[in-house]
Amino acid sequence: MSKKLFIETLGCAMNSRDSEHMIAALKEKEGYETTDDMKNADLILINTCSVREKPVAKLFSELGVFNKKKKEGAKIGVCGCTASHLGEEIIKRAPYVSFVLGARNVSKIGEVLHKDKAVEVDINYDESEFAFDDFRTSPYKAYINISIGCDKQCTFCIVPKTRGEEISIPDELIVREAQRAVDNGAKEIFLLGQNVNNYGRRFSSSDHEKVNFTELLRRLSKIEGLRRIRFTSPHPFHMDDEFIEEFASNPKICKSMHMPLQSGSTKVLKDMKRGYSKEWFLNRVQKLREHCPEVSISTDIIVAFPGESEEDFEDTIDVMKQVKFDQIFSFKYSPRPETEAQHYSDVIDPEVASDRLSYLQALQTEMLDEKNKTQLGKTYEVYFEDLNADGYVSGRTDNNLVVKVKGSEELLGEFCDVKITKIGRTIFTGEIVA
Ligand code: SAH
Ligand code: F3S
């Protein structure tokens, strides 16, 4: 009988891809099968996120529960960004943990598995050309890493300390991986990196041809049978005209852009070391909409960064009102170890922070409800990817609306024109039109 692996993945899409890589290695080389039943697993992995404080605190309570309920002899491994930044401390605080594997060391899963109390968390380790085994959770959409690490120094962010310096994966490897996914039936690829439009800044080998993100997109879009290309996250600083024009004119690139604003105040953006101003951000949105009026725009916003005055917060609200984002991921600032901003004075009162977050989220809901009303009766092409439990099948439009229709698995992997019949906050209902 095969051994059982239970894996819990927290955090971003990059972590999901890292989990797929670990599952692949454990299946191919160690004879594991995945299970949803933690109590029955021989190996329990938690792939952690450390971007904010809460998930880190949760990790240790969760580890305690897993340890109590796990099968006798089962191993527990802690992977991902918290593994990178806490390293050995994890085993000190939770001695029953068998190994700790950093976000930059995923390819070593097979090694640490067989070394009791192994800690592999070197953030200078270069896996950019490692040939991972192939495993995908979804046959319809393929997540593909295009770079590892991040060279930016945003003062609030721990990621450069957990994922190390930025190295681009050679374009020929990316094209080959995309081709393989398409050969296996995927019609959509989703490119991943902390800073995708800074692609090509540094490759592992110094004589690699200089290929930037725009050129990478052009090369990938030549793959026959590939219908859709998505990516996350681009950085507003690197949104040059060439990139925006390619985005708008290339029919395979989905018309949905994530533009992480973080703050609408130029002063706060400076303190965050984001490298752009309020005006630059608005200018890029304008340029994007000029070339691509149908684009949907999502963003990340941090409220109550140290020193954020009422006026600074108003600037964020002003950008929201001007842009009318299609989706906002909003967070209260959370001080992180090893970041510059943790030492900033002028910390915002937690109550003020909560009030600002609630105000922002209520405003977004109100603006989005208004915007969504205009979707009723419109027809979009939907790529169906998920079978829901309630007799519906769901998928996304090119501009990233989630739409469900009544149907069964034969719709999965298909493109259909769908007319929106019911508006929802996160998911719309529709009917397939002939
Ligand atoms: N490279 C990505 C960011 C990855 S972190 C980008 O530029 O979009 C994902 C998001 O978490 C960030 O965009 C930010 O909004 C949020 N975040 C990061 N550090 C944070 C912190 N210390 N407190 C609150 N939110 C944070
Ligand atoms: Fe973090 Fe800024 Fe990089 S938010 S991941 S340091 S672009």
Side-chain angles (χ1 to χ4, degrees), residues 12 51-53 150 154 156-159 193-195 232-236 258 260 262 274 300-302 329 331-336 339:
C12 64
V51 155
R52 280 166 294 277
E53 199 174 4
C150 181
C154 304
F156 54 80
C157 185
I158 196 175
V159 172
Q194 294 301 337
N195 208 348
T232 203
S233 293
H235 195 294
H258 188 61
Q262 313 301 1
R274 287 290 288 177
D300 291 348
I301 294 177
I302 297 176
F329 301 93
F331 317 98
K332 259 187 273 184
Y333 168 69
S334 164
R336 306 306 297 123
T339 60

PDB file of all heavy atoms in Angstrom, residues 12 51-53 150 154 156-159 193-195 232-236 258 260 262 274 300-302 329 331-336 339, ligand 1:
ATOM      1  N   CYS A  12       0.304  32.400  -0.834  1.00  0.00           N
ATOM      2  CA  CYS A  12       0.123  32.860  -2.224  1.00  0.00           C
ATOM      3  C   CYS A  12       0.166  31.725  -3.247  1.00  0.00           C
ATOM      4  O   CYS A  12       0.426  30.568  -2.916  1.00  0.00           O
ATOM      5  CB  CYS A  12       1.211  33.872  -2.548  1.00  0.00           C
ATOM      6  SG  CYS A  12       2.858  33.149  -2.499  1.00  0.00           S
ATOM      7  N   VAL A  51       3.957  36.448   5.457  1.00  0.00           N
ATOM      8  CA  VAL A  51       3.779  37.828   5.032  1.00  0.00           C
ATOM      9  C   VAL A  51       3.154  38.681   6.140  1.00  0.00           C
ATOM     10  O   VAL A  51       3.528  39.823   6.347  1.00  0.00           O
ATOM     11  CB  VAL A  51       2.961  37.855   3.721  1.00  0.00           C
ATOM     12  CG1 VAL A  51       2.223  39.148   3.533  1.00  0.00           C
ATOM     13  CG2 VAL A  51       3.897  37.660   2.543  1.00  0.00           C
ATOM     14  N   ARG A  52       2.217  38.106   6.870  1.00  0.00           N
ATOM     15  CA  ARG A  52       1.650  38.814   8.034  1.00  0.00           C
ATOM     16  C   ARG A  52       1.838  37.957   9.285  1.00  0.00           C
ATOM     17  O   ARG A  52       2.124  36.774   9.194  1.00  0.00           O
ATOM     18  CB  ARG A  52       0.165  39.130   7.794  1.00  0.00           C
ATOM     19  CG  ARG A  52      -0.020  40.353   6.905  1.00  0.00           C
ATOM     20  CD  ARG A  52      -1.432  40.482   6.399  1.00  0.00           C
ATOM     21  NE  ARG A  52      -1.776  39.415   5.501  1.00  0.00           N
ATOM     22  CZ  ARG A  52      -1.475  39.393   4.199  1.00  0.00           C
ATOM     23  NH1 ARG A  52      -0.849  40.390   3.647  1.00  0.00           N
ATOM     24  NH2 ARG A  52      -1.795  38.366   3.443  1.00  0.00           N
ATOM     25  N   GLU A  53       1.622  38.601  10.450  1.00  0.00           N
ATOM     26  CA  GLU A  53       1.951  37.936  11.697  1.00  0.00           C
ATOM     27  C   GLU A  53       0.995  36.791  12.044  1.00  0.00           C
ATOM     28  O   GLU A  53       1.404  35.769  12.561  1.00  0.00           O
ATOM     29  CB  GLU A  53       1.914  38.988  12.809  1.00  0.00           C
ATOM     30  CG  GLU A  53       2.651  38.572  14.041  1.00  0.00           C
ATOM     31  CD  GLU A  53       2.703  39.706  15.047  1.00  0.00           C
ATOM     32  OE1 GLU A  53       2.100  40.767  14.793  1.00  0.00           O
ATOM     33  OE2 GLU A  53       3.340  39.517  16.083  1.00  0.00           O
ATOM     34  N   CYS A 150      12.958  37.882  -4.733  1.00  0.00           N
ATOM     35  CA  CYS A 150      12.554  39.260  -5.043  1.00  0.00           C
ATOM     36  C   CYS A 150      13.669  40.219  -4.661  1.00  0.00           C
ATOM     37  O   CYS A 150      14.206  40.136  -3.555  1.00  0.00           O
ATOM     38  CB  CYS A 150      11.289  39.626  -4.268  1.00  0.00           C
ATOM     39  SG  CYS A 150      10.754  41.308  -4.639  1.00  0.00           S
ATOM     40  N   CYS A 154      10.839  46.560  -0.410  1.00  0.00           N
ATOM     41  CA  CYS A 154       9.675  47.212   0.183  1.00  0.00           C
ATOM     42  C   CYS A 154       9.821  47.082   1.703  1.00  0.00           C
ATOM     43  O   CYS A 154      10.042  45.973   2.199  1.00  0.00           O
ATOM     44  CB  CYS A 154       8.385  46.559  -0.289  1.00  0.00           C
ATOM     45  SG  CYS A 154       8.238  46.547  -2.076  1.00  0.00           S
ATOM     46  N   PHE A 156       8.025  47.052   4.244  1.00  0.00           N
ATOM     47  CA  PHE A 156       7.093  46.277   5.085  1.00  0.00           C
ATOM     48  C   PHE A 156       7.228  44.783   4.865  1.00  0.00           C
ATOM     49  O   PHE A 156       6.660  43.983   5.596  1.00  0.00           O
ATOM     50  CB  PHE A 156       5.640  46.691   4.776  1.00  0.00           C
ATOM     51  CG  PHE A 156       5.280  46.600   3.305  1.00  0.00           C
ATOM     52  CD1 PHE A 156       4.947  45.392   2.725  1.00  0.00           C
ATOM     53  CD2 PHE A 156       5.301  47.740   2.511  1.00  0.00           C
ATOM     54  CE1 PHE A 156       4.636  45.296   1.377  1.00  0.00           C
ATOM     55  CE2 PHE A 156       4.993  47.662   1.159  1.00  0.00           C
ATOM     56  CZ  PHE A 156       4.662  46.436   0.588  1.00  0.00           C
ATOM     57  N   CYS A 157       7.966  44.367   3.836  1.00  0.00           N
ATOM     58  CA  CYS A 157       7.818  42.998   3.309  1.00  0.00           C
ATOM     59  C   CYS A 157       8.947  42.056   3.693  1.00  0.00           C
ATOM     60  O   CYS A 157      10.129  42.359   3.515  1.00  0.00           O
ATOM     61  CB  CYS A 157       7.686  43.067   1.795  1.00  0.00           C
ATOM     62  SG  CYS A 157       7.358  41.458   1.075  1.00  0.00           S
ATOM     63  N   ILE A 158       8.571  40.892   4.146  1.00  0.00           N
ATOM     64  CA  ILE A 158       9.542  39.892   4.601  1.00  0.00           C
ATOM     65  C   ILE A 158      10.016  38.983   3.445  1.00  0.00           C
ATOM     66  O   ILE A 158      11.019  38.282   3.572  1.00  0.00           O
ATOM     67  CB  ILE A 158       8.923  39.058   5.759  1.00  0.00           C
ATOM     68  CG1 ILE A 158       9.995  38.287   6.527  1.00  0.00           C
ATOM     69  CG2 ILE A 158       7.833  38.124   5.258  1.00  0.00           C
ATOM     70  CD1 ILE A 158       9.492  37.548   7.752  1.00  0.00           C
ATOM     71  N   VAL A 159       9.294  39.011   2.329  1.00  0.00           N
ATOM     72  CA  VAL A 159       9.547  38.034   1.256  1.00  0.00           C
ATOM     73  C   VAL A 159      11.019  37.986   0.781  1.00  0.00           C
ATOM     74  O   VAL A 159      11.581  36.901   0.638  1.00  0.00           O
ATOM     75  CB  VAL A 159       8.578  38.242   0.068  1.00  0.00           C
ATOM     76  CG1 VAL A 159       8.953  37.372  -1.120  1.00  0.00           C
ATOM     77  CG2 VAL A 159       7.148  37.920   0.509  1.00  0.00           C
ATOM     78  N   GLY A 193       5.555  34.943 -10.170  1.00  0.00           N
ATOM     79  CA  GLY A 193       6.799  35.524  -9.664  1.00  0.00           C
ATOM     80  C   GLY A 193       6.415  36.650  -8.732  1.00  0.00           C
ATOM     81  O   GLY A 193       5.292  37.156  -8.804  1.00  0.00           O
ATOM     82  N   GLN A 194       7.325  37.071  -7.872  1.00  0.00           N
ATOM     83  CA  GLN A 194       6.986  38.173  -6.956  1.00  0.00           C
ATOM     84  C   GLN A 194       6.910  39.487  -7.708  1.00  0.00           C
ATOM     85  O   GLN A 194       6.349  40.460  -7.232  1.00  0.00           O
ATOM     86  CB  GLN A 194       8.038  38.285  -5.839  1.00  0.00           C
ATOM     87  CG  GLN A 194       8.074  37.108  -4.903  1.00  0.00           C
ATOM     88  CD  GLN A 194       6.742  36.865  -4.207  1.00  0.00           C
ATOM     89  OE1 GLN A 194       5.916  37.777  -4.081  1.00  0.00           O
ATOM     90  NE2 GLN A 194       6.509  35.651  -3.778  1.00  0.00           N
ATOM     91  N   ASN A 195       7.481  39.500  -8.901  1.00  0.00           N
ATOM     92  CA  ASN A 195       7.740  40.759  -9.556  1.00  0.00           C
ATOM     93  C   ASN A 195       7.867  40.473 -11.052  1.00  0.00           C
ATOM     94  O   ASN A 195       8.901  40.734 -11.647  1.00  0.00           O
ATOM     95  CB  ASN A 195       9.110  41.188  -8.985  1.00  0.00           C
ATOM     96  CG  ASN A 195       9.287  42.637  -8.969  1.00  0.00           C
ATOM     97  OD1 ASN A 195       8.502  43.359  -9.570  1.00  0.00           O
ATOM     98  ND2 ASN A 195      10.325  43.064  -8.306  1.00  0.00           N
ATOM     99  N   THR A 232       0.921  36.851 -12.236  1.00  0.00           N
ATOM    100  CA  THR A 232       0.907  37.669 -11.027  1.00  0.00           C
ATOM    101  C   THR A 232       2.232  37.504 -10.310  1.00  0.00           C
ATOM    102  O   THR A 232       2.833  36.436 -10.400  1.00  0.00           O
ATOM    103  CB  THR A 232      -0.286  37.284 -10.123  1.00  0.00           C
ATOM    104  OG1 THR A 232      -0.598  38.376  -9.288  1.00  0.00           O
ATOM    105  CG2 THR A 232      -0.042  36.039  -9.268  1.00  0.00           C
ATOM    106  N   SER A 233       2.759  38.544  -9.635  1.00  0.00           N
ATOM    107  CA  SER A 233       2.275  39.911  -9.613  1.00  0.00           C
ATOM    108  C   SER A 233       3.186  40.797 -10.438  1.00  0.00           C
ATOM    109  O   SER A 233       4.403  40.704 -10.262  1.00  0.00           O
ATOM    110  CB  SER A 233       2.364  40.478  -8.202  1.00  0.00           C
ATOM    111  OG  SER A 233       1.518  39.876  -7.320  1.00  0.00           O
ATOM    112  N   PRO A 234       2.598  41.648 -11.249  1.00  0.00           N
ATOM    113  CA  PRO A 234       3.436  42.677 -11.855  1.00  0.00           C
ATOM    114  C   PRO A 234       3.631  43.821 -10.861  1.00  0.00           C
ATOM    115  O   PRO A 234       2.857  43.950  -9.911  1.00  0.00           O
ATOM    116  CB  PRO A 234       2.613  43.133 -13.060  1.00  0.00           C
ATOM    117  CG  PRO A 234       1.213  42.823 -12.706  1.00  0.00           C
ATOM    118  CD  PRO A 234       1.212  41.712 -11.675  1.00  0.00           C
ATOM    119  N   HIS A 235       4.653  44.621 -11.041  1.00  0.00           N
ATOM    120  CA  HIS A 235       4.918  45.753 -10.144  1.00  0.00           C
ATOM    121  C   HIS A 235       4.621  47.044 -10.902  1.00  0.00           C
ATOM    122  O   HIS A 235       5.086  47.214 -12.032  1.00  0.00           O
ATOM    123  CB  HIS A 235       6.396  45.707  -9.724  1.00  0.00           C
ATOM    124  CG  HIS A 235       6.699  46.576  -8.554  1.00  0.00           C
ATOM    125  ND1 HIS A 235       6.609  47.943  -8.602  1.00  0.00           N
ATOM    126  CD2 HIS A 235       7.079  46.260  -7.282  1.00  0.00           C
ATOM    127  CE1 HIS A 235       6.939  48.439  -7.402  1.00  0.00           C
ATOM    128  NE2 HIS A 235       7.223  47.435  -6.598  1.00  0.00           N
ATOM    129  N   PRO A 236       3.862  47.951 -10.282  1.00  0.00           N
ATOM    130  CA  PRO A 236       3.510  49.199 -10.991  1.00  0.00           C
ATOM    131  C   PRO A 236       4.736  49.959 -11.513  1.00  0.00           C
ATOM    132  O   PRO A 236       4.678  50.572 -12.576  1.00  0.00           O
ATOM    133  CB  PRO A 236       2.787  50.022  -9.916  1.00  0.00           C
ATOM    134  CG  PRO A 236       2.266  49.015  -8.950  1.00  0.00           C
ATOM    135  CD  PRO A 236       3.240  47.879  -8.947  1.00  0.00           C
ATOM    136  N   HIS A 258      -3.283  42.756 -12.180  1.00  0.00           N
ATOM    137  CA  HIS A 258      -3.126  43.029 -10.751  1.00  0.00           C
ATOM    138  C   HIS A 258      -2.123  44.168 -10.615  1.00  0.00           C
ATOM    139  O   HIS A 258      -1.002  44.069 -11.103  1.00  0.00           O
ATOM    140  CB  HIS A 258      -2.626  41.773 -10.033  1.00  0.00           C
ATOM    141  CG  HIS A 258      -2.618  41.911  -8.543  1.00  0.00           C
ATOM    142  ND1 HIS A 258      -3.770  42.149  -7.826  1.00  0.00           N
ATOM    143  CD2 HIS A 258      -1.607  41.868  -7.630  1.00  0.00           C
ATOM    144  CE1 HIS A 258      -3.468  42.238  -6.535  1.00  0.00           C
ATOM    145  NE2 HIS A 258      -2.170  42.085  -6.401  1.00  0.00           N
ATOM    146  N   PRO A 260      -0.618  46.107  -7.636  1.00  0.00           N
ATOM    147  CA  PRO A 260      -0.559  46.301  -6.186  1.00  0.00           C
ATOM    148  C   PRO A 260      -0.185  47.735  -5.805  1.00  0.00           C
ATOM    149  O   PRO A 260       0.958  48.139  -5.929  1.00  0.00           O
ATOM    150  CB  PRO A 260       0.499  45.301  -5.708  1.00  0.00           C
ATOM    151  CG  PRO A 260       1.155  44.747  -6.907  1.00  0.00           C
ATOM    152  CD  PRO A 260       0.411  45.156  -8.132  1.00  0.00           C
ATOM    153  N   GLN A 262      -0.694  49.337  -2.700  1.00  0.00           N
ATOM    154  CA  GLN A 262      -0.226  49.395  -1.294  1.00  0.00           C
ATOM    155  C   GLN A 262      -0.688  50.665  -0.588  1.00  0.00           C
ATOM    156  O   GLN A 262      -1.285  50.599   0.467  1.00  0.00           O
ATOM    157  CB  GLN A 262       1.305  49.224  -1.152  1.00  0.00           C
ATOM    158  CG  GLN A 262       1.914  48.074  -1.936  1.00  0.00           C
ATOM    159  CD  GLN A 262       1.384  46.688  -1.615  1.00  0.00           C
ATOM    160  OE1 GLN A 262       0.507  46.523  -0.789  1.00  0.00           O
ATOM    161  NE2 GLN A 262       1.884  45.674  -2.315  1.00  0.00           N
ATOM    162  N   ARG A 274       8.457  51.917  -2.487  1.00  0.00           N
ATOM    163  CA  ARG A 274       7.801  51.228  -3.601  1.00  0.00           C
ATOM    164  C   ARG A 274       8.320  51.705  -4.954  1.00  0.00           C
ATOM    165  O   ARG A 274       8.076  51.067  -5.979  1.00  0.00           O
ATOM    166  CB  ARG A 274       6.280  51.432  -3.529  1.00  0.00           C
ATOM    167  CG  ARG A 274       5.613  50.649  -2.426  1.00  0.00           C
ATOM    168  CD  ARG A 274       5.612  49.164  -2.685  1.00  0.00           C
ATOM    169  NE  ARG A 274       4.691  48.764  -3.739  1.00  0.00           N
ATOM    170  CZ  ARG A 274       4.565  47.518  -4.187  1.00  0.00           C
ATOM    171  NH1 ARG A 274       5.312  46.548  -3.692  1.00  0.00           N
ATOM    172  NH2 ARG A 274       3.707  47.235  -5.139  1.00  0.00           N
ATOM    173  N   ASP A 300      -3.652  45.323  -4.203  1.00  0.00           N
ATOM    174  CA  ASP A 300      -3.406  45.058  -2.778  1.00  0.00           C
ATOM    175  C   ASP A 300      -3.231  46.407  -2.099  1.00  0.00           C
ATOM    176  O   ASP A 300      -2.522  47.281  -2.631  1.00  0.00           O
ATOM    177  CB  ASP A 300      -2.081  44.294  -2.574  1.00  0.00           C
ATOM    178  CG  ASP A 300      -2.117  42.870  -3.078  1.00  0.00           C
ATOM    179  OD1 ASP A 300      -3.207  42.366  -3.385  1.00  0.00           O
ATOM    180  OD2 ASP A 300      -1.030  42.255  -3.162  1.00  0.00           O
ATOM    181  N   ILE A 301      -3.855  46.563  -0.932  1.00  0.00           N
ATOM    182  CA  ILE A 301      -3.700  47.815  -0.184  1.00  0.00           C
ATOM    183  C   ILE A 301      -3.362  47.496   1.269  1.00  0.00           C
ATOM    184  O   ILE A 301      -3.966  46.609   1.881  1.00  0.00           O
ATOM    185  CB  ILE A 301      -4.985  48.674  -0.255  1.00  0.00           C
ATOM    186  CG1 ILE A 301      -5.217  49.142  -1.702  1.00  0.00           C
ATOM    187  CG2 ILE A 301      -4.892  49.877   0.687  1.00  0.00           C
ATOM    188  CD1 ILE A 301      -6.496  49.930  -1.915  1.00  0.00           C
ATOM    189  N   ILE A 302      -2.382  48.221   1.802  1.00  0.00           N
ATOM    190  CA  ILE A 302      -2.057  48.113   3.234  1.00  0.00           C
ATOM    191  C   ILE A 302      -2.523  49.400   3.904  1.00  0.00           C
ATOM    192  O   ILE A 302      -2.156  50.486   3.448  1.00  0.00           O
ATOM    193  CB  ILE A 302      -0.532  47.953   3.433  1.00  0.00           C
ATOM    194  CG1 ILE A 302      -0.033  46.649   2.793  1.00  0.00           C
ATOM    195  CG2 ILE A 302      -0.178  47.993   4.912  1.00  0.00           C
ATOM    196  CD1 ILE A 302       1.478  46.458   2.853  1.00  0.00           C
ATOM    197  N   PHE A 329      -7.508  43.385  -2.351  1.00  0.00           N
ATOM    198  CA  PHE A 329      -7.067  42.584  -1.210  1.00  0.00           C
ATOM    199  C   PHE A 329      -6.494  43.598  -0.226  1.00  0.00           C
ATOM    200  O   PHE A 329      -5.467  44.218  -0.521  1.00  0.00           O
ATOM    201  CB  PHE A 329      -6.006  41.570  -1.633  1.00  0.00           C
ATOM    202  CG  PHE A 329      -6.493  40.622  -2.701  1.00  0.00           C
ATOM    203  CD1 PHE A 329      -6.285  40.904  -4.051  1.00  0.00           C
ATOM    204  CD2 PHE A 329      -7.181  39.460  -2.355  1.00  0.00           C
ATOM    205  CE1 PHE A 329      -6.752  40.050  -5.046  1.00  0.00           C
ATOM    206  CE2 PHE A 329      -7.650  38.599  -3.345  1.00  0.00           C
ATOM    207  CZ  PHE A 329      -7.441  38.887  -4.690  1.00  0.00           C
ATOM    208  N   PHE A 331      -5.286  44.881   3.725  1.00  0.00           N
ATOM    209  CA  PHE A 331      -4.715  44.356   4.965  1.00  0.00           C
ATOM    210  C   PHE A 331      -4.344  45.497   5.890  1.00  0.00           C
ATOM    211  O   PHE A 331      -3.985  46.578   5.432  1.00  0.00           O
ATOM    212  CB  PHE A 331      -3.410  43.582   4.667  1.00  0.00           C
ATOM    213  CG  PHE A 331      -3.483  42.687   3.476  1.00  0.00           C
ATOM    214  CD1 PHE A 331      -2.995  43.095   2.228  1.00  0.00           C
ATOM    215  CD2 PHE A 331      -4.053  41.425   3.575  1.00  0.00           C
ATOM    216  CE1 PHE A 331      -3.059  42.269   1.125  1.00  0.00           C
ATOM    217  CE2 PHE A 331      -4.123  40.594   2.471  1.00  0.00           C
ATOM    218  CZ  PHE A 331      -3.631  41.017   1.246  1.00  0.00           C
ATOM    219  N   LYS A 332      -4.386  45.210   7.190  1.00  0.00           N
ATOM    220  CA  LYS A 332      -3.810  46.137   8.154  1.00  0.00           C
ATOM    221  C   LYS A 332      -2.310  45.886   8.163  1.00  0.00           C
ATOM    222  O   LYS A 332      -1.880  44.724   8.119  1.00  0.00           O
ATOM    223  CB  LYS A 332      -4.355  45.814   9.551  1.00  0.00           C
ATOM    224  CG  LYS A 332      -5.445  46.740   9.977  1.00  0.00           C
ATOM    225  CD  LYS A 332      -5.812  46.491  11.417  1.00  0.00           C
ATOM    226  CE  LYS A 332      -6.849  45.414  11.562  1.00  0.00           C
ATOM    227  NZ  LYS A 332      -7.325  45.157  12.892  1.00  0.00           N
ATOM    228  N   TYR A 333      -1.535  46.923   8.246  1.00  0.00           N
ATOM    229  CA  TYR A 333      -0.088  46.745   8.314  1.00  0.00           C
ATOM    230  C   TYR A 333       0.275  45.835   9.488  1.00  0.00           C
ATOM    231  O   TYR A 333      -0.230  45.998  10.588  1.00  0.00           O
ATOM    232  CB  TYR A 333       0.614  48.108   8.461  1.00  0.00           C
ATOM    233  CG  TYR A 333       2.063  47.955   8.829  1.00  0.00           C
ATOM    234  CD1 TYR A 333       2.965  47.441   7.908  1.00  0.00           C
ATOM    235  CD2 TYR A 333       2.522  48.278  10.109  1.00  0.00           C
ATOM    236  CE1 TYR A 333       4.302  47.256   8.258  1.00  0.00           C
ATOM    237  CE2 TYR A 333       3.843  48.101  10.467  1.00  0.00           C
ATOM    238  CZ  TYR A 333       4.724  47.581   9.528  1.00  0.00           C
ATOM    239  OH  TYR A 333       6.032  47.390   9.885  1.00  0.00           O
ATOM    240  N   SER A 334       1.160  44.902   9.228  1.00  0.00           N
ATOM    241  CA  SER A 334       1.586  43.966  10.261  1.00  0.00           C
ATOM    242  C   SER A 334       3.122  44.007  10.307  1.00  0.00           C
ATOM    243  O   SER A 334       3.779  43.687   9.316  1.00  0.00           O
ATOM    244  CB  SER A 334       1.057  42.576   9.857  1.00  0.00           C
ATOM    245  OG  SER A 334       1.682  41.548  10.540  1.00  0.00           O
ATOM    246  N   PRO A 335       3.704  44.445  11.437  1.00  0.00           N
ATOM    247  CA  PRO A 335       5.167  44.558  11.485  1.00  0.00           C
ATOM    248  C   PRO A 335       5.826  43.184  11.369  1.00  0.00           C
ATOM    249  O   PRO A 335       5.392  42.243  12.037  1.00  0.00           O
ATOM    250  CB  PRO A 335       5.449  45.177  12.857  1.00  0.00           C
ATOM    251  CG  PRO A 335       4.160  45.210  13.584  1.00  0.00           C
ATOM    252  CD  PRO A 335       3.046  44.810  12.681  1.00  0.00           C
ATOM    253  N   ARG A 336       6.819  43.080  10.526  1.00  0.00           N
ATOM    254  CA  ARG A 336       7.472  41.790  10.308  1.00  0.00           C
ATOM    255  C   ARG A 336       8.939  41.841  10.693  1.00  0.00           C
ATOM    256  O   ARG A 336       9.601  42.858  10.479  1.00  0.00           O
ATOM    257  CB  ARG A 336       7.366  41.362   8.818  1.00  0.00           C
ATOM    258  CG  ARG A 336       5.971  41.330   8.253  1.00  0.00           C
ATOM    259  CD  ARG A 336       4.972  40.486   9.058  1.00  0.00           C
ATOM    260  NE  ARG A 336       5.305  39.081   9.128  1.00  0.00           N
ATOM    261  CZ  ARG A 336       5.475  38.413  10.279  1.00  0.00           C
ATOM    262  NH1 ARG A 336       5.386  39.015  11.445  1.00  0.00           N
ATOM    263  NH2 ARG A 336       5.766  37.131  10.258  1.00  0.00           N
ATOM    264  N   THR A 339      12.478  43.365   8.664  1.00  0.00           N
ATOM    265  CA  THR A 339      12.107  44.407   7.696  1.00  0.00           C
ATOM    266  C   THR A 339      12.455  45.773   8.283  1.00  0.00           C
ATOM    267  O   THR A 339      12.547  45.930   9.500  1.00  0.00           O
ATOM    268  CB  THR A 339      10.593  44.390   7.416  1.00  0.00           C
ATOM    269  OG1 THR A 339       9.887  44.622   8.645  1.00  0.00           O
ATOM    270  CG2 THR A 339      10.133  43.076   6.825  1.00  0.00           C
TER     271      THR A 339
HETATM  272  N1  SAH B   1       5.367  40.835  -4.825  1.00  0.00           N
HETATM  273  C1  SAH B   1       4.022  41.024  -4.467  1.00  0.00           C
HETATM  274  C2  SAH B   1       3.768  41.050  -2.984  1.00  0.00           C
HETATM  275  C3  SAH B   1       3.768  39.761  -2.248  1.00  0.00           C
HETATM  276  S1  SAH B   1       3.167  39.907  -0.606  1.00  0.00           S
HETATM  277  C4  SAH B   1       3.559  42.363  -5.012  1.00  0.00           C
HETATM  278  O1  SAH B   1       4.330  43.294  -5.223  1.00  0.00           O
HETATM  279  O2  SAH B   1       2.356  42.434  -5.181  1.00  0.00           O
HETATM  280  C5  SAH B   1       1.411  40.049  -0.955  1.00  0.00           C
HETATM  281  C6  SAH B   1       0.762  41.215  -0.342  1.00  0.00           C
HETATM  282  O3  SAH B   1       0.763  41.127   1.070  1.00  0.00           O
HETATM  283  C7  SAH B   1       1.427  42.556  -0.620  1.00  0.00           C
HETATM  284  O4  SAH B   1       1.072  43.079  -1.855  1.00  0.00           O
HETATM  285  C8  SAH B   1       0.965  43.415   0.515  1.00  0.00           C
HETATM  286  O5  SAH B   1      -0.222  44.109   0.213  1.00  0.00           O
HETATM  287  C9  SAH B   1       0.699  42.419   1.630  1.00  0.00           C
HETATM  288  N2  SAH B   1       1.734  42.538   2.665  1.00  0.00           N
HETATM  289  C10 SAH B   1       3.048  42.265   2.550  1.00  0.00           C
HETATM  290  N3  SAH B   1       3.688  42.544   3.711  1.00  0.00           N
HETATM  291  C11 SAH B   1       2.752  42.994   4.569  1.00  0.00           C
HETATM  292  C12 SAH B   1       2.787  43.469   5.919  1.00  0.00           C
HETATM  293  N4  SAH B   1       3.930  43.526   6.596  1.00  0.00           N
HETATM  294  N5  SAH B   1       1.631  43.865   6.490  1.00  0.00           N
HETATM  295  C13 SAH B   1       0.464  43.812   5.800  1.00  0.00           C
HETATM  296  N6  SAH B   1       0.371  43.394   4.533  1.00  0.00           N
HETATM  297  C14 SAH B   1       1.498  42.990   3.916  1.00  0.00           C
END
